Amino acid sequence: MDIKSKIRDIPDFPKEGILFRDITTLLKDKEAFNKVINKFVSFYKDEGVQKVVGIESRGFIFGAPLAHQLNAGFVPIRKPGKLPSDVYEAKYELEYGTDTLAIHQDAISPGEKVLIVDDLLATGGTMSAAVDLIKQLGGTIVGIAFLIELAVLKGREKLNGQNILSLITY
Amino acid sequence: MDIKSKIRDIPDFPKEGILFRDITTLLKDKEAFNKVINKFVSFYKDEGVQKVVGIESRGFIFGAPLAHQLNAGFVPIRKPGKLPSDVYEAKYELEYGTDTLAIHQDAISPGEKVLIVDDLLATGGTMSAAVDLIKQLGGTIVGIAFLIELAVLKGREKLNGQNILSLITY
């Protein structure tokens, strides 16, 4: 079964000229969702991952099952104002303006082996901010995993030096 | 190991007078997170669950591993404007004003057995709206699962007739 065929293309979402890759048609298909999680697990199972970090909110959908399967803890990176204890924040550029991500300061201990997970690699701005946060906490990033990579946007270049896995490429 | 002891209390978040139950200290603890998922799985494994519905965004953290473990599809219920295809929406009351949840119209087929998952049962407004959406799609709700129930707020009464499981009660 080809997992790429389970992605639904939605033209002009969220705005005109954007072709949105809708993963909900994959998620609701139990074989496809199972296959995606198992592919990630088989790739990382011998890496000694101690914390899986998922980026709000679609990163949670892949990060949480991976944490459970890899016998690791799960750490959410969230939008500002959502995490109740002391946080570090990182800003990143959008097409217009900036956005911010936050992580709890006690989420990761120095030297812990960290896998970061999100659904989509586009320009790489979001993941680059997440990498900065993990480094600030002293975590050792053993890998970065995406379901989808939009190769034409060259997000990989912004994540220079990281081990990147993407299961589906456009 | 007592999973309740892994919840961190944060006074006055998000505003004065609220005692916030912070689950991130449980999530990052691999034994505690593993135990929570396994408790849910053992409770629902013989129910023939076909779709696990998680409510954005902390519901994704428990719903997605459950879908994977129960060999079910995963369906996100999201804030308005996030789901790219045709949706149904349900409004619910907040302390001040209203909020809205959305689900894709093709997320669940009539008669499918559905488990709905969220992190917290407070007044029950959010989950009650989620129940309405699943019923609108013709799904059969076999259970509703929460990590935490704030019993004093009597959210259970708003979910009258549903099978409710909560692992931790305050």
Side-chain angles (χ1 to χ4, degrees):
Chain A
M1 186 253 304
D2 173 25
I3 56 171
K4 193 172 185 173
S5 71
K6 300 295 177 180
I7 305 285
R8 172 167 55 183
D9 292 345
I10 311 266
D12 301 321
F13 185 90
K15 55 185 180 182
E16 214 178 308
I18 305 274
L19 182 65
F20 188 85
R21 307 296 185 174
D22 178 17
I23 64 169
T24 65
T25 37
L26 182 153
L27 297 174
K28 75 172 180 174
D29 182 310
K30 66 180 180 181
E31 282 88 14
F33 184 48
N34 199 48
K35 188 167 177 177
V36 163
I37 299 302
N38 292 344
K39 272 177 179 274
F40 282 136
V41 169
S42 67
F43 197 84
Y44 293 109
K45 66 181 161 49
D46 301 321
E47 300 297 322
V49 173
Q50 293 168 285
K51 294 278 169 68
V52 176
V53 172
I55 300 176
E56 183 170 14
S57 63
R58 283 188 295 253
F60 295 179
I61 297 172
F62 303 99
L66 260 174
H68 182 249
Q69 290 296 305
L70 294 172
N71 195 27
F74 178 74
V75 171
I77 282 185
R78 303 202 64 181
K79 309 284 161 59
K82 301 277 193 171
L83 292 169
S85 191
D86 294 336
V87 298
Y88 291 125
E89 295 189 345
K91 273 196 180 144
Y92 61 99
E93 303 286 324
L94 296 176
E95 197 179 353
Y96 303 100
T98 63
D99 214 339
T100 304
L101 292 178
I103 194 168
H104 270 151
Q105 291 180 10
D106 62 1
I108 288 160
S109 305
E112 276 192 313
K113 290 185 173 177
V114 176
L115 170 64
I116 318 178
V117 183
D118 206 355
D119 65 324
L120 181 77
L121 175 58
T123 65
T126 306
M127 187 53 80
S128 181
V131 165
D132 290 347
L133 289 172
I134 304 307
K135 286 182 176 171
Q136 196 173 354
L137 295 179
T140 301
I141 300 169
V142 298
I144 299 179
F146 300 96
L147 176 63
I148 298 172
E149 176 174 358
L150 306 180
V152 68
L153 297 178
K154 298 185 179 173
R156 227 167 235 271
E157 293 177 6
K158 211 173 272 176
L159 302 170
N160 200 12
Q162 299 295 338
N163 295 312
I164 297 169
L165 169 68
S166 54
L167 299 187
I168 298 170
T169 304
Y170 291 96
Chain B
M1 186 254 303
D2 173 26
I3 57 172
K4 194 171 186 175
S5 71
K6 300 294 177 181
I7 305 285
R8 171 166 58 184
D9 292 345
I10 311 266
D12 301 321
F13 185 90
K15 57 184 179 182
E16 215 177 309
I18 306 275
L19 181 65
F20 189 84
R21 307 296 185 175
D22 178 17
I23 65 169
T24 65
T25 37
L26 182 154
L27 297 173
K28 75 172 180 174
D29 181 310
K30 67 179 180 182
E31 281 89 15
F33 184 48
N34 198 50
K35 188 166 176 178
V36 163
I37 299 301
N38 292 344
K39 271 176 179 275
F40 282 137
V41 169
S42 67
F43 197 84
Y44 293 110
K45 65 182 162 46
D46 301 321
E47 300 297 324
V49 174
Q50 293 169 286
K51 294 279 169 67
V52 177
V53 173
I55 301 177
E56 185 169 13
S57 62
R58 283 188 295 251
F60 294 0
I61 297 172
F62 303 99
L66 260 175
H68 182 250
Q69 291 295 305
L70 294 172
N71 196 27
F74 177 75
V75 171
I77 284 187
R78 303 202 63 181
K79 309 285 160 60
K82 302 277 193 172
L83 292 169
S85 191
D86 295 335
V87 297
Y88 291 124
E89 294 189 343
K91 272 195 183 148
Y92 60 100
E93 303 287 324
L94 296 176
E95 197 180 353
Y96 303 102
T98 63
D99 213 338
T100 304
L101 292 178
I103 193 167
H104 270 151
Q105 290 180 10
D106 62 1
I108 288 160
S109 304
E112 276 191 312
K113 291 185 174 178
V114 176
L115 169 64
I116 319 178
V117 183
D118 206 355
D119 65 325
L120 180 78
L121 174 57
T123 65
T126 306
M127 187 54 80
S128 181
V131 166
D132 290 346
L133 289 171
I134 303 307
K135 285 182 175 170
Q136 196 173 355
L137 295 179
T140 301
I141 300 169
V142 298
I144 299 179
F146 300 95
L147 176 61
I148 298 171
E149 177 175 357
L150 306 180
V152 68
L153 297 177
K154 299 184 179 173
R156 227 167 235 271
E157 292 178 8
K158 210 173 271 173
L159 302 170
N160 200 11
Q162 300 293 339
N163 295 312
I164 298 169
L165 169 67
S166 52
L167 299 188
I168 297 170
T169 304
Y170 290 97

